[in-house]
């Protein structure tokens, strides 16, 4: 319902996600892509208008078990690479955009890309920062919500 709401008021919806399960060798990229397609099908099964424009994922980790994914990249949150890529590919005005997430790494990525930020306090928001090679700015979310449904009161 939240995705449909956002689309109806003119926003494009993207997912940007770190997927270290690939770097750890738990799933292949092909298996991950199959799972993401199933996820999109589940969304559209609940509501045909609940579509995301694109799902960007980072399969890398600096200490990956799978050598081909062992690297320091620009796409792994808290770095803003996936957001910047979406902005370039879809002509997104990041200053008029929101990054919504449940971890501080999401908030940092949004801040570094110039988005307004929304922290969804699911419990993961208290977890320590994920491993990164960038200096983390002292940043607070622009908004905090307790449930994703509360996003409607932030973005209108």
């Amino acid at each position: 319902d939240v995705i449909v709401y956002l689309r109806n008021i003119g926003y494009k919806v993207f997912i940007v996600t770190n997927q270290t399960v690939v770097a750890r060798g738990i799933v292949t990229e092909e298996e991950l892509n199959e799972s993401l397609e199933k996820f999109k099908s589940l969304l559209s099964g609940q509501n045909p208008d609940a579509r995301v424009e694109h799902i960007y994922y980072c399969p890398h980790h600096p200490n990956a078990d799978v050598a081909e994914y062992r690297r320091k990249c620009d796409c792994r949150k808290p770095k803003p690479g996936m957001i910047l890529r979406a902005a370039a590919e879809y002509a997104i005005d990041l200053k008029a955009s929101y990054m919504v997430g449940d971890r501080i790494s999401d908030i940092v990525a949004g801040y570094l890309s110039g988005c307004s930020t929304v922290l969804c306090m699911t419990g993961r928001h208290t977890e320590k920062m994920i491993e990164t090679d960038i200096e983390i700015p002292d940043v607070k979310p622009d908004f905090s919500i307790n449930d994703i449904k509360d996003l409607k009161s932030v973005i209108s």
Side-chain angles (χ1 to χ4, degrees):
D1 291 341
V2 173
I3 292 171
V4 174
Y5 167 79
L6 292 170
R7 290 178 58 78
N8 284 341
I9 62 170
Y11 285 91
K12 295 178 181 175
V13 177
F14 298 87
I15 296 173
V16 292
T17 176
N18 291 346
Q19 289 296 321
T20 60
V21 292
V22 176
R24 295 189 319 229
I26 296 169
V27 300
T28 65
E29 279 197 78
E30 293 77 22
E31 292 167 328
L32 175 61
N33 281 312
E34 287 173 16
S35 293
L36 295 175
E37 287 304 314
K38 287 179 187 174
F39 173 74
K40 291 194 295 190
S41 292
L42 285 171
L43 279 178
S44 64
Q46 290 178 10
N47 185 324
D49 293 327
R51 294 185 333 270
V52 294
E53 298 295 324
H54 192 86
I55 299 175
Y56 293 91
Y57 66 87
C58 173
H60 310 116
H61 191 280
N63 301 316
D65 297 325
V66 180
E68 92 181 83
Y69 298 107
R70 189 180 311 127
R71 69 178 81 148
K72 294 177 182 175
C73 61
D74 291 331
C75 55
R76 187 167 187 266
K77 294 179 296 180
K79 293 180 181 177
M82 290 185 282
I83 299 170
L84 298 175
R85 182 174 167 200
E89 291 177 358
Y90 288 86
I92 297 167
D93 177 2
L94 292 174
K95 298 261 183 252
S97 299
Y98 293 83
M99 172 61 172
V100 181
D102 64 352
R103 296 187 73 167
I104 194 64
S105 56
D106 300 316
I107 301 309
V108 171
Y111 170 81
L112 292 174
S113 65
C115 297
S116 294
T117 57
V118 182
L119 180 63
C120 189
M121 297 187 289
T122 63
R124 298 196 74 201
H125 68 284
T126 61
E127 293 178 8
K128 69 177 191 144
M129 173 62 75
I130 64 172
E131 183 178 343
T132 184
D133 62 341
I134 64 169
E135 187 172 327
I136 302 300
D138 183 26
V139 61
K140 303 275 188 252
D142 296 305
F143 304 93
S144 294
I145 56 176
N146 292 315
D147 186 282
I148 197 67
K149 293 176 185 173
D150 299 335
L151 198 55
K152 292 179 182 180
S153 67
V154 172
I155 303 174
S156 55

